[in-house]
Amino acid sequence: MHRRSSSTIWRNWARNQHCSPHAIERPATEAALVAAVGRAVAAGRRVKAVGAGHSFTSIALTDGHLVDLSSYGRVLAVDEERGQVTVEAGITLRALNRVLARHGLALENLGDIAYQSVAGAAATATHGTGLRFRNLSSSIVALRVVAGDGTIVSCSATERPELWSPARVGVGALGLVSTLTLRCVPAFNLHAIEEARPVDGVLERLDDLVEGNDHFEFFWIPGTRWALTKRNRRTNEGARPRARWDAFRNEMLADNLAFGAMLRIGRRRPEWIPSMARRIPSAGPQDYVERSDRVFASPRHVRFLEMEYAVPREAFPEALARVRDLVARIGVPIGFPVECRFVAGDDIPLSTASGRETAYIAVHTGIGAPHQEYFAGVEAIMNDHDGRPHWGKLHFQTAAGLAARYPGWDEFQEARTVLDPAGTFANPYTDRVLGPVGG
Ligand SMILES: Cc1cc2nc3c(=O)[nH]c(=O)nc-3n(C[C@H](O)[C@H](O)[C@H](O)COP(=O)(O)OP(=O)(O)OC[C@H]3O[C@@H](n4cnc5c(N)ncnc54)[C@H](O)[C@@H]3O)c2cc1C
């Protein structure tokens, strides 16, 4: 255990959130995890688990005991026949993907990066894109959770389903997840086509693109008429990777460095952003076949801030059109793209895709760039479309506004009173977005 000192400040990846916990614990076994919770409870302090710190919100902050799970990330069992894997909560998606590949397995769908811990990603309903596919939490078959009283609760669709169902997206408030069993699929390759297209053409053909590809997403570049599109189809074809230089050029130039340079220059000369942005599509089309996780996730070297909203799929065209108007109206050049993705509905109470086919609209700015007016404007638009904020990305919502947007809200709160009646796993963020336990 690492006791608090004046230099014990924890920061998230984006460096926009920090806290000074009373103690930081780094358990490496389940027994140590339980003991860590017990010590905090005995001292009358709250507990927060932290995975990879890749949330932009204050969701992982505490002045109590911070339980850092980076040393608790083993794969405990791989069942190739049933296509299931059981892992300790702190394993990163990247480490898990590698192990699964060795067993001829893969996760069904992934988001843009794989740096997150599996438990942290699940807690916030982390998602990728693909209208026939659901988010990571939907793959959770079973969980072992340390409850607020220090006992371990096992749950699955057949064992305490009333706890398992909401705990798949626990927002860090339904106990401390110790292990997760995930459903996997046989390993697969993706045929990826990535190219710049005029955004209006993309919007005209949107349904075809979303329904005709296994995974479709696009990034509209503010200040331009361009969108970078990514189309992925599942295939039995052998790998035909990008040339190393092409991969490097696209990831570093288009995805990272070009945006980074644009942000740095844009901070001093914002009026240059539109003309810089117009050059980005010249990175050129890409057409390749690769192992699924290598296509889904890419490295990220440029830090940024992000807000992302989930709206019903049918609300997407109007919601995006209003975001484009907003960008034109606020007059501050935006040096980062607007990312649009499409995901199947699911049955998890506080999943952002709960009960409806969902479109996600994500807006970003560079660190230090003004984002308040932009993000507040986007949130106002999303409020009109029953938008649900990503739990790990910046937003200004409170429980009062959110409760009606989730059909499973009460089911979640019910599970909270069972797993954490004293609010051991609460923090100011959960107080704001979920309200007090039993309240
Ligand atoms: C560059 C970047 C790209 C991203 N891309 C995507 C994307 O494509 N799709 C998407 O949906 N999101 C994306 N995100 C958001 C990210 O997936 C989520 O914020 C995710 O929660 C981060 O995982 P983490 O391990 O860092 O969790 P943390 O940020 O460390 O924690 C998140 C929450 O999970 C809780 N938690 C962690 N471990 C446990 C546990 N064992 N038991 C109970 N609670 C726990 C924490 O207490 C906290 O409440 C991205 C973020 C970044 C920075």
Side-chain angles (χ1 to χ4, degrees):
M1 183 175 62
H2 185 74
R3 285 277 166 205
R4 179 184 180 168
S5 74
S6 55
S7 60
T8 310
I9 294 178
W10 180 87
R11 290 178 205 282
N12 66 341
W13 173 85
R15 306 268 193 273
N16 65 321
Q17 305 287 350
H18 63 89
C19 62
S20 299
H22 183 83
I24 298 183
E25 307 256 6
R26 294 191 177 85
T29 62
E30 188 173 79
L33 194 63
V34 172
V37 173
R39 266 192 297 277
V41 171
R45 297 202 187 89
R46 288 171 159 191
V47 181
K48 233 342 96 182
V50 67
H54 271 59
S55 296
F56 299 91
T57 53
S58 54
I59 190 167
L61 302 189
T62 186
D63 58 4
H65 289 213
L66 192 76
V67 181
D68 173 343
L69 293 169
S70 53
S71 305
Y72 188 59
R74 286 172 305 164
V75 173
L76 300 176
V78 182
D79 185 336
E80 289 180 16
E81 227 155 78
R82 297 173 79 187
Q84 292 188 359
V85 63
T86 300
V87 295
E88 292 174 340
I91 191 170
T92 62
L93 286 164
R94 186 158 61 162
L96 176 57
N97 290 333
R98 285 196 189 128
V99 174
L100 290 179
R102 288 205 292 274
H103 288 272
L105 295 170
L107 292 172
E108 185 177 65
N109 201 1
L110 283 170
D112 284 348
I113 56 160
Y115 302 122
Q116 309 97 318
S117 69
V118 169
T124 60
T126 292
H127 63 91
T129 191
L131 202 59
R132 290 186 287 278
F133 303 94
R134 292 173 292 162
N135 58 23
L136 177 73
S137 307
S138 300
S139 310
I140 297 176
V141 174
L143 292 165
R144 276 170 72 81
V145 178
V146 185
D149 63 0
T151 57
I152 301 235
V153 176
S154 295
C155 57
S156 68
T158 51
E159 184 183 14
R160 312 214 56 189
E162 75 288 1
L163 301 181
W164 163 78
S165 179
R168 291 174 293 168
V169 177
V171 198
L174 292 186
L176 205 163
V177 174
S178 170
T179 68
L180 307 92
T181 301
L182 302 167
R183 182 175 46 81
C184 308
V185 296
F188 60 100
N189 284 343
L190 286 171
H191 178 192
I193 301 177
E194 301 170 0
E195 62 185 342
R197 289 180 170 200
V199 66
D200 289 329
V202 170
L203 293 172
E204 272 162 31
R205 292 196 50 219
L206 190 63
D207 285 345
D208 290 347
L209 289 165
V210 170
E211 288 162 22
N213 291 285
D214 290 318
H215 308 273
F216 174 74
E217 69 180 302
F218 70 94
F219 298 80
W220 169 58
I221 304 175
T224 77
R225 60 185 191 86
W226 286 101
L228 302 176
T229 63
K230 294 192 174 189
R231 286 177 281 156
N232 296 331
R233 283 178 210 226
R234 294 170 174 241
T235 178
N236 296 323
E237 258 182 82
R240 178 167 44 81
R242 284 177 285 186
R244 281 177 66 123
W245 166 243
D246 279 350
F248 178 79
R249 187 183 62 173
N250 248 41
E251 272 163 13
M252 297 297 284
L253 196 72
D255 294 356
N256 283 293
L257 291 185
F259 287 126
M262 201 155 85
L263 295 170
R264 276 192 302 279
I265 298 168
R267 224 170 284 149
R268 276 174 285 129
R269 302 298 297 265
E271 70 278 11
W272 288 4
I273 286 180
S275 67
M276 287 188 287
R278 277 193 284 276
R279 297 209 168 90
I280 286 179
S282 66
Q286 300 284 309
D287 184 326
Y288 60 99
V289 178
E290 258 284 27
R291 201 175 86 190
S292 59
D293 57 293
R294 293 181 177 152
V295 177
F296 285 135
S298 334
R300 286 285 182 276
H301 303 292
V302 176
R303 291 177 208 274
F304 52 82
L305 296 180
E306 181 172 352
M307 162 181 275
E308 184 175 50
Y309 263 88
V311 295
R313 182 185 166 201
E314 57 278 12
F316 174 81
E318 192 187 329
L320 183 67
R322 290 180 63 190
V323 170
R324 292 176 69 188
D325 286 349
L326 172 77
V327 168
R329 221 175 38 245
I330 55 180
V332 182
I334 308 295
F336 234 92
V338 175
E339 183 176 15
C340 303
R341 294 182 273 186
F342 308 87
V343 167
D346 61 53
D347 61 356
I348 306 176
L350 290 202
S351 164
T352 43
S354 192
R356 63 193 195 195
E357 275 189 348
T358 293
Y360 289 92
I361 299 177
V363 294
H364 313 73
T365 65
I367 308 280
H371 68 275
Q372 290 284 339
E373 185 188 359
Y374 182 30
F375 285 9
V378 169
E379 185 162 284
I381 294 166
M382 301 304 156
N383 283 339
D384 291 343
H385 295 286
D386 202 24
R388 299 168 180 165
H390 190 302
W391 299 110
K393 301 186 182 178
L394 295 172
H395 67 92
F396 313 101
Q397 305 285 350
T398 63
L402 291 174
R405 299 187 199 183
Y406 290 89
W409 184 266
D410 292 344
E411 190 184 337
F412 183 93
Q413 298 293 0
E414 197 55 39
R416 223 173 151 206
T417 61
V418 176
L419 285 170
D420 189 24
T424 298
F425 300 107
N427 66 0
Y429 179 80
T430 61
D431 291 345
R432 169 166 75 89
V433 303
L434 302 173
V437 183

